[in-house]
Amino acid sequence: MNADDLLAHFGRIADAPDAIARLRRFILDLAVRGKLVPQDAFDEPAVELLKRIAKEKARLVKAREIRTPKPIRALSKTPFPIPANWRWSQLAEIGVLSPRNEAPDAHEASFVPMPMIAAEYGIANEHEVRAWGEIKKGYTHFAEGDVGLAKITPCFENGKSTVFRNLTGGIGSGTTELHIVRPLFVDQDYILLFLKSPHFIENGIPRMTGTAGQKRVPTEYFAYSPFPLPPLPEQRRIVAKVDELMALCDRLDATQGGREAVRDRLAAASLAGFEAPDPETFQEAARFAIDALPALTTRPDQIKQLRQTILSIAVRGKLVPQDPKDKPASKMLSEKASLPDGYQRRRKILKKTSVHAPDHLFPSIPSAWAYADVQTLYDLNAIIDYADGNHGSLYPRSSEFGESGVTFVTAKDLAHGRVVWDSCAKLNQKRANQLTKGWAQGGDILLTHNATVGRVAQVEPCVGRFLLGTSVTFYRLNSKVIDPGYFSVVLTSPAWQGQLEAIMAQTTRNQVSIQKQAFFKVAVPPLGEQHRIVAKVDELMALCDKLEASLTTADETRRRLLEALLAEALEPDEERELEAAE
């Protein structure tokens, strides 16, 4: 397997995560290792090129055009094998570092701010025209054909480096956060390939100095890193080949984007079947969509869209057929239900508040359904209770938590519709006994309403009492009126989540208080239909889980194949020959 084989087989792995970006990095890696184009025995060896560079530097020093450069440092080791007619060098050896330009103050020149320095291969930098006298002091100098590297984080990690071209007056200046090299008899575009190569960037990141967010590539790394120097004609062939392959990557990227767009449209068309107004036709539409989606789905966001579609139609009365024998919700809510024997509620002091949510969140629903807000359902005992955890001075101190005690659930402990019990803190029993608010129990539905808003968890019925943090609300349902599983579907549906978003859009805080939740609308079906909805949602979500698992497996397979192909293509030729001989 070689680079050509990889490119020929790229269609098999094009959907691997980050495949095109990884292919671009792979091409640059091949380029600086001498594996991208064949060597030519008639090329002047790199050792002779270094002699010419040294001679030219001596001339420039004698003519006082440059300062005497610092001695070149001996390389203790080389990072990878290179062809026989190449030589290991350093940027400090093959060019002039941090050059200074001379020109009259009135001379028009280019000023290139950091944001305008190219980050992607082949994109030209932009500049502003200024008088040289305005920009020659306090800035980094460069001239036409110089190569610049942005040395500050995150620019360096993102490959911000450029060849300065089309400079007004042939010279320019820019931010001091630049390293500059002026090449001598070396192709500037080949140097650019090296600066953008994974080898140079990945080895430079751990060598950056300074505080977090303000780290910089030291001059020593830029100047004295091992630089693989090919003969000059081969440098030019490498640059031409990289240009060709990067154009291929552009086409692959465009093709992949087009393929993704087609898949998105086909997936959307499949999902449209879920929106059929007649539930009697839903089974056929659902079967078509589920059968079609595995071939059309390559991204997790497409599975997420499917889940949201299922939840949306579930709370609109379109997921299962209505049964005329079911007792209508209006009759079910026409009188108070009974609370569990001996149940004591805490006193609620609620101030009537408006919830300005978009009308599309509350479409028409079947005639046997009814809309009701949370507080109304509470007053009718359909919701037995709802409350959040302890606030302010009642909130336990960190010193009151330990290895044992009462389970204490916060927003971070809710994931994938369940409480991650192993991650929960433990509040000592003595402190827990002092708290009368925030106690939840098995069968409750939990909702995060502060900072991380909108996570939902259905607590297993067998779980005993536990405490909630400030950011979690529990809902305790009267199963004779509202199925807890159905209420969990409601809280995860776009209708409820949209109400949460509407509240947060009206404030600068990611918080939806109990006061606001009290007046959220809930679409209530007949109890029998609630049970059927829960069963159907569980069935369809299980299918989504299978789709997601198959997607993860496919991604992992493509990723491993890509890595294997890259590793084999980068393997030194002598190692491949040795294996073949064996």
Side-chain angles (χ1 to χ4, degrees):
M1 178 69 69
N2 56 28
D4 291 334
D5 294 326
L6 175 68
L7 294 173
H9 291 87
F10 188 74
R12 297 167 55 198
I13 52 177
D15 288 325
D18 202 25
I20 305 296
R22 295 179 72 182
L23 180 58
R24 291 183 192 275
R25 294 193 294 270
F26 166 70
I27 291 167
L28 295 175
D29 217 353
L30 291 179
V32 300
R33 291 171 182 258
K35 295 176 178 287
L36 196 61
V37 299
Q39 281 70 53
D40 188 332
F42 293 100
D43 288 343
E44 176 191 60
V47 66
E48 297 299 324
L49 178 58
L50 287 173
K51 290 178 183 178
R52 287 200 291 127
I53 291 171
K55 185 176 180 181
E56 175 64 9
K57 273 195 176 180
R59 185 191 71 78
L60 292 172
V61 169
K62 185 176 181 179
R64 296 185 177 180
E65 295 184 30
I66 63 172
R67 296 185 297 271
T68 302
K70 294 180 180 180
I72 301 302
R73 301 180 182 180
L75 297 175
S76 57
K77 61 179 181 179
T78 55
F80 47 78
I82 55 175
N85 60 344
W86 289 36
R87 282 295 178 272
W88 284 105
S89 182
Q90 300 160 20
L91 291 181
E93 182 178 19
I94 57 91
V96 179
L97 300 180
S98 303
R100 303 301 295 175
N101 296 324
E102 299 295 336
D105 286 356
H107 180 84
E108 285 193 339
S110 291
F111 179 73
V112 184
M114 176 73 77
M116 295 184 180
I117 293 171
E120 297 298 326
Y121 178 83
I123 299 176
N125 48 276
E126 300 177 13
H127 63 261
E128 304 168 3
V129 178
R130 296 192 185 181
W132 181 242
E134 297 177 8
I135 56 175
K136 70 178 180 180
K137 293 182 180 179
Y139 294 104
T140 300
H141 288 200
F142 41 79
E144 188 78 12
D146 288 354
V147 184
L149 171 76
K151 62 185 177 183
I152 193 169
T153 189
C155 300
F156 172 69
E157 295 95 321
N158 294 334
K160 271 204 168 191
S161 49
T162 190
V163 176
F164 291 101
R165 291 191 172 94
N166 302 317
L167 299 177
T168 301
I171 61 174
S173 67
T175 174
T176 56
E177 300 294 356
L178 289 171
H179 287 307
I180 303 293
V181 60
R182 182 166 295 168
L184 299 174
F185 306 134
V186 176
D187 191 293
Q188 60 263 51
D189 287 303
Y190 175 75
I191 294 176
L192 184 64
L193 302 184
F194 172 74
L195 296 181
K196 291 183 180 292
S197 70
H199 163 76
F200 181 75
I201 293 175
E202 290 169 8
N203 283 280
I205 290 172
R207 291 172 169 80
M208 297 179 79
T209 59
T211 59
Q214 290 294 315
K215 289 191 173 184
R216 292 169 175 80
V217 177
T219 301
E220 289 71 20
Y221 181 73
F222 177 75
Y224 302 113
S225 290
F227 176 80
L229 181 68
L232 184 56
E234 187 172 347
Q235 294 175 36
R236 292 167 178 160
R237 294 197 299 274
I238 290 170
V239 169
K241 188 65 174 178
V242 169
D243 284 344
E244 174 190 335
L245 293 176
M246 289 299 176
L248 172 61
C249 286
D250 290 341
R251 293 198 297 274
L252 287 171
D253 212 358
T255 300
Q256 188 180 47
R259 186 168 62 246
E260 284 299 307
V262 171
R263 280 178 176 154
D264 284 344
R265 289 195 294 271
L266 290 173
S270 298
L271 291 174
F274 277 79
E275 299 288 352
D278 183 1
E280 298 292 347
T281 67
F282 175 77
Q283 299 299 325
E284 183 179 349
R287 214 167 20 248
F288 169 78
I290 293 297
D291 289 343
L293 282 173
L296 303 176
T297 302
T298 60
R299 302 192 316 272
D301 64 284
Q302 294 168 322
I303 305 295
K304 182 179 179 181
Q305 181 186 0
L306 174 57
R307 292 184 191 275
Q308 290 299 298
T309 301
I310 292 167
L311 294 169
S312 177
I313 62 177
V315 297
R316 290 161 54 193
K318 295 184 178 182
L319 188 61
V320 298
Q322 279 72 53
D323 186 338
K325 297 177 182 178
D326 288 338
K327 182 179 180 180
S330 58
K331 287 187 177 181
M332 188 170 59
L333 299 176
S334 62
E335 56 186 23
K336 276 191 175 185
S338 299
L339 288 175
D341 290 343
Y343 192 89
Q344 295 294 319
R345 284 174 164 175
R346 289 175 58 87
R347 183 176 173 223
K348 285 191 186 299
I349 302 175
L350 290 175
K351 180 181 178 181
K352 181 67 178 178
T353 181
S354 59
V355 176
H356 299 292
D359 291 339
H360 70 79
L361 296 176
F362 314 111
S364 59
I365 51 178
S367 58
W369 289 40
Y371 277 117
D373 62 41
V374 165
Q375 185 59 27
T376 298
L377 294 173
Y378 175 82
D379 293 337
L380 293 170
N381 297 337
I383 293 177
I384 294 172
D385 213 345
Y386 67 103
D388 58 0
N390 293 280
H391 295 251
S393 61
L394 292 177
Y395 195 89
R397 299 176 182 177
S398 58
S399 60
E400 294 170 332
F401 292 93
E403 296 297 322
S404 62
V406 174
T407 299
F408 194 88
V409 175
T410 62
K412 68 175 179 57
D413 302 317
L414 274 64
H416 309 298
R418 291 289 183 266
V419 177
V420 184
W421 299 107
D422 291 343
S423 74
C424 297
K426 299 289 185 180
L427 181 64
N428 72 62
Q429 189 70 55
K430 181 180 178 180
R431 182 71 179 94
N433 290 341
Q434 297 171 355
L435 300 175
T436 58
K437 182 187 175 186
W439 287 93
Q441 62 187 39
D444 289 349
I445 309 300
L446 307 185
L447 171 74
T448 62
H449 65 259
N450 187 28
T452 304
V453 176
R455 292 184 186 177
V456 178
Q458 188 167 359
V459 182
E460 298 87 339
C462 60
V463 172
R465 295 176 79 224
F466 58 93
L467 279 164
L468 297 178
T470 307
S471 55
V472 184
T473 300
F474 77 80
Y475 283 91
R476 191 163 300 150
L477 288 309
N478 188 332
S479 59
K480 295 179 180 179
V481 183
I482 298 181
D483 184 319
Y486 174 74
F487 199 76
S488 179
V489 169
V490 168
L491 297 192
T492 51
S493 73
W496 182 278
Q497 296 288 322
Q499 292 179 80
L500 292 174
E501 291 168 6
I503 295 297
M504 291 187 289
Q506 298 163 28
T507 178
T508 58
R509 302 177 64 188
N510 278 357
Q511 179 179 354
V512 182
S513 67
I514 288 283
Q515 291 277 344
K516 293 289 186 181
Q517 292 178 53
F519 301 101
F520 276 24
K521 287 184 181 179
V522 176
V524 182
L527 186 59
E529 188 171 347
Q530 292 180 40
H531 298 329
R532 296 194 298 275
I533 288 171
V534 171
K536 179 57 69 174
V537 168
D538 287 345
E539 175 191 339
L540 294 175
M541 290 302 175
L543 288 173
C544 288
D545 290 341
K546 290 181 181 179
L547 280 174
E548 209 157 37
S550 66
L551 176 60
T552 301
T553 301
D555 276 350
E556 180 64 16
T557 300
R558 286 189 288 258
R559 184 186 64 79
R560 288 181 177 178
L561 177 58
L562 178 59
E563 288 179 351
L565 292 172
L566 296 182
E568 191 171 349
L570 287 172
E571 188 179 85
D573 293 337
E574 55 267 28
E575 292 183 19
R576 287 200 294 270
E577 292 170 2
L578 181 61
E579 288 182 0
E582 292 175 349

